[in-house]
Amino acid sequence: MLENHSGNLLSGEGSPHLQQHAENPVHWHPWNEEAFELAEKEDKPVFLSIGYASCHWCHRMERESFSDEHIAQLLNSHFVSIKVDREERPDLDFYFNSICRLFIKKTGSPLTIIMTPHKMPFFASTYLPKEPILGQIGLVNLLPKIIGHWKNERETLINTASTIMDQLGELSKALPEGDISQSIFKKTFKLLEGNYDKEYGGFSLPPKYYFPQHFWFLLRYYFITKEKNALSMTVKTLTHIRWGGVFDHIEQGFHKLSTDARWKIPYFEKMLYDQALLIYSYAQAYQMTKKLFFKDVCYEIGQFLDSTLSDQTGAYYTAVDAESEGREGKYYIWNYEELERVIDPKDMDIINFFFNASREGNLNDEDQKDSRMNLLFQCQDDEAAARDLGLPLSVFQKTLAQILDLLRKERQKRPKPFIDKKILMDWNSLVLGALSYSGRVFNDRSFVKKAEKLSEFLTNFMVSEDGYLIHRLINGEQAVSAFLSDYAFFIWAHIELFNASLNVKYLATAYKYLNQALELFNDDAFGGFYYARARNASEIMRQKEYADGFVPSGNSFMLSNLIYFYYFTANKKYKKMADRLIQQTSGLIEERPMEYTSLISSLFSYHGYHQQIIFTGDINSELAQNMINHINQYFTPQYVFIPKNPETIKIAPFLDNYPNTDKPVFYICREFACLEPVDSVEKLEALLSTNKPVG
């Protein structure tokens, strides 16, 4: 018989976000069937709150409402309350955000859902204040209204919930199918061009997100078409992002997003996925342009990962909190008197001019009683600043480094923001892929060694006893079966690590888990891949995610993985699955291309803009290594490197058609049709320097 639980039940949960609510007077439950059974038994609606540990607005709602005795009394008496960590259960976050979008046309964190005991939502919103403000209803008013409707007008609530569930069901049905022609590339470029901020870069009005997948598309589009604006938009946006206050100029790393057009004032949390995706983006920009500025940014992010988010065993933590001492951004901002106390008076011109500090302050901070606060951001590069200040560049850069070191030491005396020490498979896989790619592009073994160490961690500690990937690890405890994005990013990352290390064991790992993912997530009826395994999805309607969000969709990376292994193995099974995924998403992509730029980037290879580089001979010879380093100098986003050896022949039998050679020989191919083999750096460079796909 079901017990009537009372009290807050979060103290035993591993999630840092749930732990942050474990002392609330609200009688929180973790997400489980027992909570819904209790709601049904007591005939109460369910109040669901979804957030994450580094979120400022989640903290505000916790302080304002969930720590309030009156709000707690309303929730405890009339609702069953459930708390969810969106990073631990991204499937629930995706599902209920889809519902929230149907209610109010937007999504976000924290997410507030009120539903029946049978998981049928009849109210959805994001952050809600305790008291009404600026026309937004407060919980103090909302909850009594819901209580009254549940008692007296329940049929109306049920009808609302039924309508929403019907709409969600329609979205989940089979999509209109079709092929996607190459015209989608120009269409996507024109939309990005039309939304481009010509002054500061980026592709939206504030708030401005990074959306790194836009850069990946634009660089590929430039590679194929030589459309100069595709490259210039990427270069300018990446430059202004690094100059802005969204970058921590003192301790490195990027904050979450910009609240303004010029990338000046961020949401202050630092997310692991942003660091990974931006390393990957800046490395590609460097590979295309050879601008050392972009390479330097990759090393800056790497330094932040090692100093702040590394768990010292190879993996990386999830995030740094937006708040310290209960205020968003407090750790990162300065009043002018602090700057004057720390910095030599003769160097204050650099702080004033280069970093835009002033006695009046350069930001408006609603949480600070003293609004005269400064956040460091720059508006020009070192060369221009040194020239304008009348300093030799070397003197300017040396002085700047000294200033930043002084500020770093001073800032580290402050109470530090909380670090969410969850280890997530999907976000760590993004880091793994980014480090591997950067190591290959920069010919830097230190990046590759970090990637190899991370791969070892993930395969040793985040695989279940029955051989499946795990989504979350904290304090050594595995939890939550992996989702599509975990598998898709993990597979991609090991392809990149294989390309960087040329160790076939990483290719074998990618191949193994690709086939496992096909078993777990493939929609046999219509194509494409579900977000969650069937046993995860028993709780809610099983859905697919195709559009990109803060991170690219799992389906977009699965498309890339399928195309890669088709070209590596010549196994048409992978091509057919890619065909079905593309056909299912064609209507969505044609209607809203900017939401699918990661998936569209994979279409370049699908439509033949790729290179197969087949290799025979001793891969460890000096000549082979020199030739591979030459390949890595060029922007080759769609290349598939296929060395012939006993291990690769097992999955790519067609390699037996290529004669064994003592001397390194490279075949540059497309669709398994090859040009004449080359056996020298000069011949290889002559082919690659055209910077065009074969054919």
Side-chain angles (χ1 to χ4, degrees), residues 8-35:
N8 189 317
L9 302 181
L10 300 185
S11 61
E13 294 297 310
S15 159
H17 179 62
L18 270 57
Q19 283 296 317
Q20 289 168 347
H21 292 74
E23 298 300 321
N24 292 162
V26 176
H27 294 171
W28 290 116
H29 295 252
W31 177 279
N32 55 38
E33 286 305 307
E34 187 178 32

mmCIF file of all heavy atoms in Angstrom, residues 8-35:
data_model
loop_
_atom_site.group_PDB
_atom_site.id
_atom_site.type_symbol
_atom_site.label_atom_id
_atom_site.label_comp_id
_atom_site.label_asym_id
_atom_site.label_seq_id
_atom_site.Cartn_x
_atom_site.Cartn_y
_atom_site.Cartn_z
ATOM 1 N N ASN A 8 10.545 17.014 2.778
ATOM 2 C CA ASN A 8 11.363 17.183 1.585
ATOM 3 C C ASN A 8 12.193 15.926 1.371
ATOM 4 O O ASN A 8 12.932 15.501 2.263
ATOM 5 C CB ASN A 8 12.255 18.409 1.791
ATOM 6 C CG ASN A 8 12.996 18.824 0.540
ATOM 7 O OD1 ASN A 8 13.525 17.984 -0.167
ATOM 8 N ND2 ASN A 8 13.043 20.120 0.287
ATOM 9 N N LEU A 9 12.086 15.320 0.199
ATOM 10 C CA LEU A 9 12.714 14.026 -0.075
ATOM 11 C C LEU A 9 13.955 14.124 -0.961
ATOM 12 O O LEU A 9 14.355 13.140 -1.582
ATOM 13 C CB LEU A 9 11.694 13.096 -0.740
ATOM 14 C CG LEU A 9 10.410 12.837 0.050
ATOM 15 C CD1 LEU A 9 9.502 11.892 -0.715
ATOM 16 C CD2 LEU A 9 10.717 12.282 1.427
ATOM 17 N N LEU A 10 14.574 15.301 -1.027
ATOM 18 C CA LEU A 10 15.693 15.483 -1.950
ATOM 19 C C LEU A 10 17.055 15.249 -1.319
ATOM 20 O O LEU A 10 18.064 15.233 -2.042
ATOM 21 C CB LEU A 10 15.659 16.903 -2.539
ATOM 22 C CG LEU A 10 14.402 17.287 -3.330
ATOM 23 C CD1 LEU A 10 14.570 18.675 -3.940
ATOM 24 C CD2 LEU A 10 14.079 16.266 -4.416
ATOM 25 N N SER A 11 17.129 15.076 -0.010
ATOM 26 C CA SER A 11 18.437 15.025 0.649
ATOM 27 C C SER A 11 19.291 13.855 0.181
ATOM 28 O O SER A 11 20.520 13.927 0.209
ATOM 29 C CB SER A 11 18.260 14.961 2.172
ATOM 30 O OG SER A 11 17.551 13.793 2.545
ATOM 31 N N GLY A 12 18.677 12.795 -0.279
ATOM 32 C CA GLY A 12 19.434 11.638 -0.729
ATOM 33 C C GLY A 12 19.766 11.645 -2.209
ATOM 34 O O GLY A 12 20.359 10.685 -2.712
ATOM 35 N N GLU A 13 19.400 12.713 -2.922
ATOM 36 C CA GLU A 13 19.633 12.778 -4.366
ATOM 37 C C GLU A 13 21.059 13.248 -4.666
ATOM 38 O O GLU A 13 21.624 14.078 -3.953
ATOM 39 C CB GLU A 13 18.631 13.728 -5.014
ATOM 40 C CG GLU A 13 17.195 13.240 -4.928
ATOM 41 C CD GLU A 13 16.982 11.929 -5.670
ATOM 42 O OE1 GLU A 13 17.380 11.827 -6.839
ATOM 43 O OE2 GLU A 13 16.427 10.998 -5.059
ATOM 44 N N GLY A 14 21.629 12.737 -5.745
ATOM 45 C CA GLY A 14 22.992 13.108 -6.123
ATOM 46 C C GLY A 14 23.100 14.433 -6.840
ATOM 47 O O GLY A 14 24.147 15.079 -6.805
ATOM 48 N N SER A 15 22.037 14.865 -7.504
ATOM 49 C CA SER A 15 22.078 16.080 -8.308
ATOM 50 C C SER A 15 22.362 17.312 -7.457
ATOM 51 O O SER A 15 21.652 17.570 -6.475
ATOM 52 C CB SER A 15 20.736 16.273 -9.025
ATOM 53 O OG SER A 15 20.552 17.620 -9.413
ATOM 54 N N PRO A 16 23.357 18.120 -7.800
ATOM 55 C CA PRO A 16 23.598 19.366 -7.059
ATOM 56 C C PRO A 16 22.391 20.300 -7.078
ATOM 57 O O PRO A 16 22.129 20.984 -6.084
ATOM 58 C CB PRO A 16 24.791 19.982 -7.790
ATOM 59 C CG PRO A 16 25.513 18.812 -8.373
ATOM 60 C CD PRO A 16 24.432 17.858 -8.777
ATOM 61 N N HIS A 17 21.656 20.340 -8.182
ATOM 62 C CA HIS A 17 20.483 21.208 -8.244
ATOM 63 C C HIS A 17 19.422 20.753 -7.246
ATOM 64 O O HIS A 17 18.813 21.584 -6.556
ATOM 65 C CB HIS A 17 19.898 21.208 -9.655
ATOM 66 C CG HIS A 17 18.671 22.055 -9.805
ATOM 67 N ND1 HIS A 17 18.671 23.411 -9.590
ATOM 68 C CD2 HIS A 17 17.388 21.732 -10.140
ATOM 69 C CE1 HIS A 17 17.449 23.901 -9.788
ATOM 70 N NE2 HIS A 17 16.661 22.893 -10.112
ATOM 71 N N LEU A 18 19.207 19.465 -7.154
ATOM 72 C CA LEU A 18 18.240 18.969 -6.179
ATOM 73 C C LEU A 18 18.738 19.195 -4.757
ATOM 74 O O LEU A 18 17.956 19.518 -3.860
ATOM 75 C CB LEU A 18 17.936 17.497 -6.431
ATOM 76 C CG LEU A 18 16.749 17.223 -7.393
ATOM 77 C CD1 LEU A 18 16.934 17.867 -8.748
ATOM 78 C CD2 LEU A 18 16.515 15.724 -7.540
ATOM 79 N N GLN A 19 20.040 19.062 -4.556
ATOM 80 C CA GLN A 19 20.596 19.331 -3.234
ATOM 81 C C GLN A 19 20.393 20.793 -2.823
ATOM 82 O O GLN A 19 20.205 21.088 -1.640
ATOM 83 C CB GLN A 19 22.083 18.980 -3.206
ATOM 84 C CG GLN A 19 22.371 17.494 -3.112
ATOM 85 C CD GLN A 19 21.877 16.892 -1.812
ATOM 86 O OE1 GLN A 19 22.041 17.468 -0.743
ATOM 87 N NE2 GLN A 19 21.235 15.733 -1.905
ATOM 88 N N GLN A 20 20.424 21.703 -3.792
ATOM 89 C CA GLN A 20 20.191 23.119 -3.488
ATOM 90 C C GLN A 20 18.785 23.374 -2.970
ATOM 91 O O GLN A 20 18.529 24.409 -2.354
ATOM 92 C CB GLN A 20 20.448 23.966 -4.748
ATOM 93 C CG GLN A 20 21.912 24.058 -5.136
ATOM 94 C CD GLN A 20 22.110 24.652 -6.534
ATOM 95 O OE1 GLN A 20 21.155 24.780 -7.316
ATOM 96 N NE2 GLN A 20 23.337 25.011 -6.858
ATOM 97 N N HIS A 21 17.865 22.440 -3.210
ATOM 98 C CA HIS A 21 16.478 22.579 -2.755
ATOM 99 C C HIS A 21 16.135 21.621 -1.620
ATOM 100 O O HIS A 21 14.974 21.539 -1.207
ATOM 101 C CB HIS A 21 15.518 22.342 -3.937
ATOM 102 C CG HIS A 21 15.588 23.405 -4.977
ATOM 103 N ND1 HIS A 21 16.630 23.518 -5.858
ATOM 104 C CD2 HIS A 21 14.737 24.431 -5.274
ATOM 105 C CE1 HIS A 21 16.429 24.548 -6.660
ATOM 106 N NE2 HIS A 21 15.294 25.124 -6.319
ATOM 107 N N ALA A 22 17.145 20.928 -1.100
ATOM 108 C CA ALA A 22 16.873 19.892 -0.097
ATOM 109 C C ALA A 22 16.468 20.471 1.256
ATOM 110 O O ALA A 22 15.869 19.762 2.073
ATOM 111 C CB ALA A 22 18.102 18.995 0.067
ATOM 112 N N GLU A 23 16.784 21.744 1.501
ATOM 113 C CA GLU A 23 16.420 22.378 2.769
ATOM 114 C C GLU A 23 15.173 23.248 2.634
ATOM 115 O O GLU A 23 14.774 23.903 3.602
ATOM 116 C CB GLU A 23 17.593 23.217 3.284
ATOM 117 C CG GLU A 23 18.855 22.419 3.572
ATOM 118 C CD GLU A 23 18.635 21.346 4.629
ATOM 119 O OE1 GLU A 23 17.906 21.621 5.606
ATOM 120 O OE2 GLU A 23 19.173 20.232 4.468
ATOM 121 N N ASN A 24 14.567 23.288 1.468
ATOM 122 C CA ASN A 24 13.339 24.071 1.301
ATOM 123 C C ASN A 24 12.222 23.540 2.188
ATOM 124 O O ASN A 24 12.120 22.320 2.407
ATOM 125 C CB ASN A 24 12.852 24.017 -0.153
ATOM 126 C CG ASN A 24 13.756 24.724 -1.143
ATOM 127 O OD1 ASN A 24 13.653 24.479 -2.338
ATOM 128 N ND2 ASN A 24 14.647 25.580 -0.689
ATOM 129 N N PRO A 25 11.333 24.411 2.655
ATOM 130 C CA PRO A 25 10.134 23.924 3.348
ATOM 131 C C PRO A 25 9.147 23.235 2.413
ATOM 132 O O PRO A 25 8.211 22.573 2.874
ATOM 133 C CB PRO A 25 9.542 25.197 3.956
ATOM 134 C CG PRO A 25 10.057 26.310 3.103
ATOM 135 C CD PRO A 25 11.427 25.884 2.660
ATOM 136 N N VAL A 26 9.330 23.378 1.110
ATOM 137 C CA VAL A 26 8.492 22.656 0.145
ATOM 138 C C VAL A 26 8.788 21.164 0.263
ATOM 139 O O VAL A 26 9.944 20.747 0.354
ATOM 140 C CB VAL A 26 8.776 23.134 -1.294
ATOM 141 C CG1 VAL A 26 7.971 22.319 -2.304
ATOM 142 C CG2 VAL A 26 8.469 24.618 -1.439
ATOM 143 N N HIS A 27 7.739 20.347 0.239
ATOM 144 C CA HIS A 27 7.898 18.894 0.328
ATOM 145 C C HIS A 27 8.204 18.321 -1.063
ATOM 146 O O HIS A 27 7.376 17.664 -1.682
ATOM 147 C CB HIS A 27 6.635 18.257 0.906
ATOM 148 C CG HIS A 27 6.375 18.645 2.332
ATOM 149 N ND1 HIS A 27 5.210 18.331 2.998
ATOM 150 C CD2 HIS A 27 7.146 19.326 3.231
ATOM 151 C CE1 HIS A 27 5.264 18.804 4.229
ATOM 152 N NE2 HIS A 27 6.429 19.401 4.389
ATOM 153 N N TRP A 28 9.433 18.580 -1.518
ATOM 154 C CA TRP A 28 9.825 18.146 -2.856
ATOM 155 C C TRP A 28 9.956 16.628 -2.941
ATOM 156 O O TRP A 28 10.445 15.977 -2.017
ATOM 157 C CB TRP A 28 11.165 18.755 -3.247
ATOM 158 C CG TRP A 28 11.198 20.227 -3.509
ATOM 159 C CD1 TRP A 28 11.881 21.174 -2.798
ATOM 160 C CD2 TRP A 28 10.563 20.923 -4.590
ATOM 161 N NE1 TRP A 28 11.711 22.419 -3.358
ATOM 162 C CE2 TRP A 28 10.900 22.289 -4.459
ATOM 163 C CE3 TRP A 28 9.735 20.535 -5.646
ATOM 164 C CZ2 TRP A 28 10.449 23.263 -5.347
ATOM 165 C CZ3 TRP A 28 9.284 21.505 -6.523
ATOM 166 C CH2 TRP A 28 9.632 22.843 -6.385
ATOM 167 N N HIS A 29 9.575 16.110 -4.096
ATOM 168 C CA HIS A 29 9.865 14.738 -4.491
ATOM 169 C C HIS A 29 10.826 14.784 -5.678
ATOM 170 O O HIS A 29 10.726 15.677 -6.523
ATOM 171 C CB HIS A 29 8.598 14.005 -4.957
ATOM 172 C CG HIS A 29 7.571 13.814 -3.891
ATOM 173 N ND1 HIS A 29 7.298 12.582 -3.329
ATOM 174 C CD2 HIS A 29 6.737 14.696 -3.271
ATOM 175 C CE1 HIS A 29 6.343 12.703 -2.425
ATOM 176 N NE2 HIS A 29 5.983 13.977 -2.371
ATOM 177 N N PRO A 30 11.725 13.817 -5.803
ATOM 178 C CA PRO A 30 12.397 13.641 -7.092
ATOM 179 C C PRO A 30 11.398 13.065 -8.097
ATOM 180 O O PRO A 30 10.327 12.579 -7.707
ATOM 181 C CB PRO A 30 13.511 12.634 -6.770
ATOM 182 C CG PRO A 30 12.971 11.854 -5.620
ATOM 183 C CD PRO A 30 12.126 12.805 -4.818
ATOM 184 N N TRP A 31 11.758 13.112 -9.376
ATOM 185 C CA TRP A 31 10.875 12.538 -10.400
ATOM 186 C C TRP A 31 10.858 11.018 -10.250
ATOM 187 O O TRP A 31 11.877 10.345 -10.423
ATOM 188 C CB TRP A 31 11.364 12.926 -11.790
ATOM 189 C CG TRP A 31 10.565 12.325 -12.908
ATOM 190 C CD1 TRP A 31 10.686 11.062 -13.411
ATOM 191 C CD2 TRP A 31 9.505 12.944 -13.637
ATOM 192 N NE1 TRP A 31 9.783 10.854 -14.420
ATOM 193 C CE2 TRP A 31 9.036 12.006 -14.589
ATOM 194 C CE3 TRP A 31 8.902 14.198 -13.602
ATOM 195 C CZ2 TRP A 31 8.009 12.284 -15.486
ATOM 196 C CZ3 TRP A 31 7.882 14.481 -14.496
ATOM 197 C CH2 TRP A 31 7.439 13.533 -15.424
ATOM 198 N N ASN A 32 9.711 10.484 -9.934
ATOM 199 C CA ASN A 32 9.522 9.036 -9.903
ATOM 200 C C ASN A 32 8.026 8.739 -9.935
ATOM 201 O O ASN A 32 7.193 9.632 -9.719
ATOM 202 C CB ASN A 32 10.196 8.390 -8.679
ATOM 203 C CG ASN A 32 9.755 8.992 -7.361
ATOM 204 O OD1 ASN A 32 8.580 9.328 -7.177
ATOM 205 N ND2 ASN A 32 10.691 9.132 -6.423
ATOM 206 N N GLU A 33 7.704 7.494 -10.209
ATOM 207 C CA GLU A 33 6.290 7.121 -10.320
ATOM 208 C C GLU A 33 5.572 7.228 -8.981
ATOM 209 O O GLU A 33 4.365 7.475 -8.929
ATOM 210 C CB GLU A 33 6.173 5.702 -10.889
ATOM 211 C CG GLU A 33 6.472 5.614 -12.375
ATOM 212 C CD GLU A 33 5.610 6.554 -13.201
ATOM 213 O OE1 GLU A 33 4.369 6.512 -13.063
ATOM 214 O OE2 GLU A 33 6.181 7.355 -13.968
ATOM 215 N N GLU A 34 6.316 7.057 -7.895
ATOM 216 C CA GLU A 34 5.693 7.132 -6.579
ATOM 217 C C GLU A 34 5.052 8.498 -6.349
ATOM 218 O O GLU A 34 3.971 8.593 -5.749
ATOM 219 C CB GLU A 34 6.730 6.844 -5.492
ATOM 220 C CG GLU A 34 6.127 6.741 -4.097
ATOM 221 C CD GLU A 34 7.173 6.408 -3.046
ATOM 222 O OE1 GLU A 34 8.336 6.839 -3.213
ATOM 223 O OE2 GLU A 34 6.828 5.734 -2.071
ATOM 224 N N ALA A 35 5.693 9.562 -6.816
ATOM 225 C CA ALA A 35 5.140 10.906 -6.635
ATOM 226 C C ALA A 35 3.809 11.051 -7.372
ATOM 227 O O ALA A 35 2.847 11.645 -6.844
ATOM 228 C CB ALA A 35 6.140 11.945 -7.129
#
